[in-house]
Amino acid sequence: MNDHFDIAIIGSGMAGSALAAILARHGQRVVVFEAKSHPRFAIGESLILETSEMMRALAHFYDVPELAYFSTENFLPFAGTTHGVKRHFGFLHHQAGRPHDPQHTLQAVIPQEPHGHELHLYRQDTDYFMMTTAVAYGATVYQNTAVQDINLHDDHVTIIPTSGQAITANYVVDAGGFRSILAQKFDVRDFNLQTHSRGMFTHMVNVPCYHQTSGSQASYGLPFRMSEGTLHHLFAGGWLWVIPFDNHAASTNPLCSVGLLLDPRQHPPQDDLTPEEEFFSFIQQFPSMAAQFADAHAVRDWVRAGRLQYASKQIVGDRWALLGHAAGFIDPLYSKGLYSSLTAVFLLAHLLLKAKETGDYSAAAFADLETVTHHFVCAADRLVANSYRAFQNHKLWSVYAVMWLLGAYTELVKLNMMRAQTPDDRQAYYDQLVRLKLVGGGFAEFDTVAGRIDQIMETVDVADDTAVAAAVTDINQIFRALDWIADPFIALLDGKTHLPRNKIRLSLLKPGAGFMGKGAYKEHFFGRLTMRDLLVYGIREKVRYARPTLTRQHKALYKKRVEMK
């Protein structure tokens, strides 16, 4: 361990390992320190479309195909059968003491075209795979090797592990989560955030599909069973996630990830109870939730966490950076943590490859990473905090849910169109990526709309029914006045409980009123692309991510590695 490396990375989760794989693939000498060892338990198991697209962008622009292996169900034949599928984001809003009302439902269906549905990641397998991928490309990984200190110098950094010899590197990336050594060393933690939530979580068995214990799928009128996606049980002051890994015929994993998130100001910790006792005691207030877990059992120790929210006042310095959850974390409500982390991986990989050529490892050279990270954390904090406020009243939640959907939809459209417009130009893609803010796709009109709606949410008295009714009316009017909002979102405002299963329809091709919209919206998201360009791009993506194509690519990659050995 006495060699000099280009980059040292602390932590081998998905973000740290993905970064290591990219840099090693491009010829840099990379060392990774992991305090524990793989395989290991981790949460953050629900993918979103933005995360999947970022995985594809990383794989494409950095020529590391393995980084896309968990971006679609079409990779399952060689990504593994321990993962679940995700065909929707499901939400059931509950009131204490009452069975669930089917009208208080939202099923945000995930489009199958052109990439296929998404996955529930069994993180002990995905993280292990990412770490071994980094090793396969040439990274040096030391497991069970904690780092006790990092010393920064003008021309290098020194990493001092708790055992073994110190090593030096040109730059250090701390991907060590909340207990980040650099965050502690420079005292950069910031807890002045709007969101307040605490949690308890585990893996369980014998968690049935919601429709087996409460209303049937037919009675709810939904395109998919709730067990075919990520289920969120919502209630005043918190929510509960249900993420099954056994929800498709090819699954070999009987586990289900379960977590309860509570606002401690409304639901104070019950320290006299074990996490398991508190969990089952709490859900007894909600008959339909309690019924789903009547026969469920944990297969590992429960984890109880205090307030989850934190950010960092500084993300980069001379020869160092914080990555992923070392930089900040809000709440897993909308599963945006992995998207944030992998976006940072894209930015940091690009900047580190550039720094290798220029020799400039200063904070100024990495300023984009700090800007984007701050934007992502702030946007997540406001979105989640106002969602918790909306949970107090179903009518308020039903309109604010459209705010979440609109932000996610526009972000996804922008990500896809960035890759469509810059297929062979990583710098051009990077130049657009640094303008994103987690939601809204960097569209100025979205930022204005979000600001107006969030201000309404932050000033309304959720205990005053008259004030809530007025807020709901005002938010409705703001959405309906937009000429670029998708029709299915208006249908939700009209009372529909799900997005359409089939999102492809002829009306999307109509100039000025279809998918591409018009004016500033069209210019921002599509630039010079034509509808023909989009159709060609969609067909190419469909073929590129079809199972037969992916299988051929995987076999070719395997053959190449065998020949290299």
Side-chain angles (χ1 to χ4, degrees), residues 507-514 517:
S507 60
L508 294 176
L509 304 178
K510 186 176 180 181

Side-chain angles (χ1 to χ4, degrees), residues 4 150-158 168-172 317-320 359-363:
H4 179 79
I150 300 171
N151 293 329
L152 304 173
H153 311 278
D154 290 341
D155 59 350
H156 70 280
V157 298
T158 302
T168 60
N170 292 332
Y171 197 92
V172 59
D318 292 340
R319 296 190 178 272
W320 65 267
D360 185 359
Y361 291 97
S362 67

Side-chain angles (χ1 to χ4, degrees), residues 399-449:
V399 292
Y400 195 71
V402 176
M403 183 76 261
W404 156 64
L405 283 166
L406 188 61
Y409 171 76
T410 46
E411 188 84 354
L412 176 67
V413 171
K414 185 62 176 178
L415 287 171
N416 274 284
M417 293 306 99
M418 284 161 50
R419 189 158 60 85
Q421 294 173 76
T422 61
D424 302 310
D425 190 341
R426 193 178 74 220
Q427 182 65 56
Y429 183 93
Y430 174 95
D431 290 341
Q432 295 190 65
L433 187 62
V434 296
R435 300 189 182 103
L436 300 187
K437 301 177 182 178
L438 182 76
V439 293
F443 186 38
E445 288 190 29
F446 172 86
D447 294 341
T448 300
V449 169

Side-chain angles (χ1 to χ4, degrees), residues 290-508:
Q292 187 176 16
F293 290 93
D295 298 317
H297 301 283
V299 299
R300 58 175 300 112
D301 291 340
W302 283 81
V303 177
R304 175 187 271 159
R307 189 184 178 193
L308 301 172
Q309 291 71 44
Y310 61 92
S312 299
K313 291 171 282 189
Q314 184 179 356
I315 306 298
V316 302
D318 292 340
R319 296 190 178 272
W320 65 267
L322 304 180
L323 175 64
H325 294 166
F329 182 79
I330 300 301
D331 185 287
L333 176 61
Y334 295 119
S335 304
K336 293 188 182 291
L338 194 53
Y339 168 52
S340 299
S341 296
L342 293 181
T343 299
V345 167
F346 194 108
L347 299 175
L348 192 50
H350 183 81
L351 294 171
L352 286 170
L353 292 175
K354 184 177 180 180
K356 177 67 173 178
E357 299 175 357
T358 65
D360 185 359
Y361 291 97
S362 67
F366 291 79
D368 285 343
L369 176 64
E370 179 151 313
T371 299
V372 173
T373 300
H374 281 316
H375 283 160
F376 273 45
V377 170
C378 289
D381 185 34
R382 197 173 196 186
L383 176 66
V384 174
N386 284 332
S387 294
Y388 269 73
R389 292 186 182 96
F391 295 166
Q392 303 289 331
N393 184 294
H394 175 259
K395 292 181 179 179
L396 199 59
W397 156 248
S398 65
V399 292
Y400 195 71
V402 176
M403 183 76 261
W404 156 64
L405 283 166
L406 188 61
Y409 171 76
T410 46
E411 188 84 354
L412 176 67
V413 171
K414 185 62 176 178
L415 287 171
N416 274 284
M417 293 306 99
M418 284 161 50
R419 189 158 60 85
Q421 294 173 76
T422 61
D424 302 310
D425 190 341
R426 193 178 74 220
Q427 182 65 56
Y429 183 93
Y430 174 95
D431 290 341
Q432 295 190 65
L433 187 62
V434 296
R435 300 189 182 103
L436 300 187
K437 301 177 182 178
L438 182 76
V439 293
F443 186 38
E445 288 190 29
F446 172 86
D447 294 341
T448 300
V449 169
R452 293 174 62 193
I453 291 175
D454 282 327
Q455 187 173 24
I456 292 172
M457 292 296 302
E458 288 155 5
T459 56
V460 66
D461 182 355
V462 295
D464 184 337
D465 289 343
T466 301
V468 167
V472 169
T473 298
D474 290 345
I475 295 173
N476 246 298
Q477 290 176 346
I478 292 172
F479 283 137
R480 293 176 188 277
L482 301 177
D483 62 4
W484 46 270
I485 190 171
D487 291 341
F489 297 161
I490 297 298
L492 294 179
L493 295 173
D494 290 336
K496 198 172 183 64
T497 59
H498 61 85
L499 294 178
R501 178 168 182 159
N502 182 10
K503 293 178 170 56
I504 298 177
R505 53 191 188 279
L506 291 177
S507 60
L508 294 176

